[in-house]
Amino acid sequence: MKSSISGGLITVVPVGFYVLSLIRHDSYGQGTGLLAGEAVLNDTVLMVVMKAITRRARPSEFLQNGAV
């Protein structure tokens, strides 16, 4: 649950910046919002690919005593 909240917050920042720049008619801010959104998207794609390649066990997959 926590990762979905933080992922949502990370996405809201560039979108909010872009929308605010649209309202203010600020083309520089719009470009900055798009670049920030692209960086978030690139990071997400890289994270998903790396998790699929490594298949490392997540901490939530372990029991309290450390067994898998």
Side-chain angles (χ1 to χ4, degrees), residues 4 21 30:
S4 64
S21 297
Q30 290 173 13

Side-chain angles (χ1 to χ4, degrees), residues 5 11 14-15 18 22 29-30 33 35 47 52 54 57 59-60 65-66:
I5 293 172
T11 305
V15 170
Y18 182 78
L22 274 176
Q30 290 173 13
L35 288 174
M47 177 186 59
T54 60
S60 61
N65 63 2

Side-chain angles (χ1 to χ4, degrees), residues 6 13 24 32 40 48 59 62 65-67:
S6 62
V13 172
R24 293 182 174 181
T32 302
V40 169
V48 168
F62 292 97
N65 63 2

Side-chain angles (χ1 to χ4, degrees), residues 1 3 6 8-9 13 16 18 20 24 34 39 42-44 46 48 53 56-57 59-60 62 66-67:
M1 177 81 169
S3 65
S6 62
L9 288 175
V13 172
Y18 182 78
L20 186 62
R24 293 182 174 181
L34 287 175
N42 290 340
D43 175 64
T44 303
L46 182 62
V48 168
I53 290 172
R56 185 174 175 192
S60 61
F62 292 97

